[in-house]
Amino acid sequence: MTPGSSVPGPRAPGAVEAEPDEAADVGELIAAYPGLRIDHDNERWYAGLLARRLLIRACTSCGLHHHPPRPVCPGCWSTALVDRESRGTGVVEASTTFRQVDPYGLDDGASPGGRMAVTVRLDEQDVRLTGPVRAGAAAGIGERVRLGWARRGPAPFPVFEPESR
Amino acid sequence: MTARHPLQDRVAIVGVGSTGFARSHPGRSLLSLVAEAARAAIADAGVDRSEIDAACGIAPYVPGWFGVPPQLLAEALGLRLDHLSFDPPPIGYSLVSAVHAVAAGSCRTALVYNGVYRSGALSRSAARDPVRRQHGPPADVGYGLLSRVDVAAAATAYFAGTGTSRLDLARVVLNARSAAAGNELAALRDPLTLDEYLAAPMVRDPLTVLDCDLPVDGAEAFVVTGAERARDLTDRRVLVHAVTLATRRAGPAWPGVTGSAQQVAMDSLRERSELWIDDVDVCFPYDGFSIMALGSLEAMGYCPPGEVPGLLADSWSEDDGSLRLRGRVPVNPHGGSLAEGGSQGAGHLREAVRQLTGTAGARQVPGAGVAIVAPGGFTNAQGMILRRDDL
């Protein structure tokens, strides 16, 4: 036991290296992404989406990327975190198709037979990301995908699409 | 070891971490606060994170409130857990979960934590944060709001039956404020006068805004392990001598002050403990509302039922505006929930550990060896006897 074991507060994971031009205020983000749980850990992620940028949280101490964004590096516990823009290309590692209900609410057209969702390992960051495949498209395990954008109500939302398309 | 309580002295607290409550953190998540306290506690214990194999934390007590599930904390801190629990407040539930798991061999070393986060429903400044406005108790009737009616009503009945008055509540509140002045973690460190207390805005008769614990942002964390392992880790460790959880008349039934869950908790704690108030050097009655501290002291047996006003008068020091039971034992020397900040008893537990490890700084009670901690109110109460291992 040592006295003074309370530590000073971490810096807010702020310093976004790829600063979204529109540093949206969190109230705007909540309005832009209804139904999603926005908090002070993931607000930068949603600010990125609003600016059509995929921001992946990175630790400047150990270099680890992680997602979803957390206030502390799960690898080394550093709070020196930044959000780096990703090109959003990668390889599908898992997939499923929503046969009954499409949970995404995107306005990118019809998906006959159901909306596909994929878990993608990003090329640049050693991170897995799960999200929708563009309506009407499909991407199987092992296939390469790239990032595209659809609209979800008032705001942009990322979709994956096959690179071969 | 008594047959009644085979857990006695088998589990130890070896680390504490606190964000403190002195600053509000409008731009931070509750997870970030809990993670900060947890890292501090693990560092304080001097263990590697690979040794932490359990996490027991406090869950929201109304739907929509804030809480950090142990699964989320484990992910954020890269922990591998094989015992976890997400328990209602106050802090004793999570402490007991950890103590039982360690004693049973279900885990080796557990993290116990509680985070508190001002909701838009209870704090005007928090209501300016759009994130916090998304959360809070239902607008029509919430368990928390309902319990405030019950607590105020219990206070009026206790006043009528015992001759207790707002001047007695004032002694609890003023004691908290004078104590918090010496606590760098506390939210309210300014002195308070009796006149200021009496002039405070009434919320529900007879409880003013100063009789209610202060909504704050922050977190507390503790590292709990077996007594043998603790002896390898540190010379400064605190044994959980006895611990108990209790309830009585939970729900819509009207809970009185005398004979409430606080009494059930203290009665069962006493059965399980070989140490009692004659041995206690520092006392932690719960003060989520000031009236609860009166019930807590009565339940501990510092005075006969209904005779709290005399106890407070005998214990009151006008010189420094503080309470010393039997002329000796400080009461919530960190300022309690009323002045340090409302942490559902986690601040009380942390200060007890600090006192018993001799790390309470200017607040240190010389030679403190035994503490009684009594989180919780009239329907949901808990008790702990903690002791220094080397006594």
Side-chain angles (χ1 to χ4, degrees), chain B residues 301-328:
Chain B
Y302 279 103
C303 64
E307 295 183 22
V308 167
L311 172 71
L312 295 175
D314 291 345
S315 307
W316 183 249
S317 163
E318 197 63 51
D319 294 343
D320 58 3
S322 72
L323 292 168
R324 283 185 184 270
L325 303 170
R326 300 174 169 186
R328 180 179 75 86

Side-chain angles (χ1 to χ4, degrees), chain A residues 99-124:
Chain A
R99 300 289 185 186
Q100 303 296 329
V101 175
D102 177 348
Y104 291 104
L106 307 181
D107 59 1
D108 59 345
S111 289
R115 165 82 68 178
M116 196 167 190
V118 288
T119 297
V120 175
R121 179 174 288 273
L122 298 176
D123 291 333
E124 300 161 283

Side-chain angles (χ1 to χ4, degrees), chain A residues 1-13 25-28 30 36-41 43 66-79, chain B residues 13-18 23 26-29 31-32 35-36 39-40 42 44 49 72 75-79 117 129-131 134-135 185 234 236 353-354 357 359:
Chain A
M1 285 283 170
T2 50
S5 59
S6 50
V7 297
R11 277 175 286 163
D25 125 304
V26 65
E28 288 176 48
I30 289 168
L36 299 178
R37 177 59 70 92
I38 293 175
D39 60 28
H40 293 304
D41 292 331
E43 60 182 298
H66 72 269
H67 187 83
R70 300 302 185 209
V72 56
C73 173
C76 73
W77 290 4
S78 169
T79 55
Chain B
I13 301 172
V14 293
V16 295
S18 175
R23 294 174 301 137
R28 284 180 61 183
S29 68
L31 174 61
S32 80
E36 178 186 333
R39 285 180 293 138
I42 292 167
D44 188 39
R49 84 172 109 168
L72 174 60
E75 183 215 297
L77 295 182
L79 302 176
Y117 204 58
D129 178 0
V131 168
Q134 299 176 101
H135 306 269
L185 304 178
T234 176
R236 289 173 167 170
V353 173
R354 286 283 182 84
T357 51
T359 57

Side-chain angles (χ1 to χ4, degrees), chain B residues 166 196-204 207-211:
Chain B
R166 289 188 62 210
E196 288 166 338
Y197 169 77
L198 292 172
M202 188 61 71
V203 181
R204 290 183 183 164
L207 302 179
T208 71
V209 66
L210 298 177
D211 293 290

